[in-house]
């Protein structure tokens, strides 16, 4: 959802393969990014201090979301122009305001779920 909201300004621009299938492109970017996310989740669950695990998880999600946005930006805008790497990263960052909103919502939801689970574990003991 974050990528759809952030990259909407580029929805009507053709991709580098001359496709206008914006939603399909975002779907595949999210699907392909989910694989490393789930693999990295296995490593994150081994981190012991819960606050560090939570912080690393938010950082990982933010990084992957930004990577999706950057990929869409490169495909739909920078591929048709003369952006340098730094300029494309800065332009993607400007378009990624929804990333911060999404991270706050994701962080709050994750904290609520984990807080609820912690209460259940204490009550079972």
């Amino acid at each position: 959802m974050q990528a759809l909201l952030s990259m909407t300004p580029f929805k009507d621009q053709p991709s580098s393969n001359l496709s206008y299938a914006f939603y399909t492109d975002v779907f595949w970017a999210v699907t392909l990014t989910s694989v490393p996310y789930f693999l990295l989740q296995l490593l994150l669950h081994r981190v012991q201090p819960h606050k560090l695990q939570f912080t690393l998880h938010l950082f990982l999600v933010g990084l992957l979301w930004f990577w999706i946005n950057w990929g869409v930006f490169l495909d739909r805008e920078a591929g048709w122009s003369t952006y340098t790497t730094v300029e494309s990263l800065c332009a993607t960052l400007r378009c990624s305001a929804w990333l911060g909103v999404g991270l706050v919502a994701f962080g709050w939801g994750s904290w609520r779920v984990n807080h609820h689970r912690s209460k259940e574990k204490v009550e079972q003991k």
Side-chain angles (χ1 to χ4, degrees):
M1 185 57 114
Q2 180 279 141
L4 290 174
L5 292 172
S6 293
M7 297 291 108
T8 296
F10 309 107
K11 181 178 78 164
D12 296 326
Q13 293 178 226
S15 66
S16 58
N17 66 357
L18 299 177
S19 164
Y20 283 90
F22 174 74
Y23 298 107
T24 304
D25 292 347
V26 171
F27 170 78
W28 283 111
V30 170
T31 302
L32 293 174
T33 305
S34 297
V35 173
Y37 171 73
F38 287 120
L39 293 175
L40 290 170
Q41 274 292 87
L42 297 173
L43 293 174
L44 280 178
H45 281 288
R46 296 179 186 269
V47 175
Q48 214 36 251
H50 185 67
K51 288 182 181 180
L52 178 61
Q53 180 187 42
F54 183 75
T55 303
L56 288 173
H57 189 205
L58 279 178
F59 178 75
L60 171 67
V61 167
L63 189 64
L64 290 174
W65 284 355
F66 184 78
W67 188 54
I68 291 169
N69 290 351
W70 190 41
V72 171
F73 181 81
L74 287 175
D75 189 42
R76 296 202 168 256
E77 174 68 16
W80 298 101
S81 192
T82 57
Y83 285 89
T84 64
T85 302
V86 173
E87 289 172 340
S88 68
L89 287 169
C90 290
T92 303
L93 190 59
R94 283 191 300 271
C95 295
S96 296
W98 284 103
L99 193 138
V101 174
L103 278 177
V104 168
F106 183 78
W108 181 78
S110 296
W111 179 81
R112 294 281 298 160
V113 167
N114 286 327
H115 184 68
H116 182 69
R117 284 184 186 166
S118 298
K119 277 186 173 181
E120 286 180 353
K121 286 181 182 177
V122 170
E123 290 173 1
Q124 288 177 356
K125 289 181 181 181

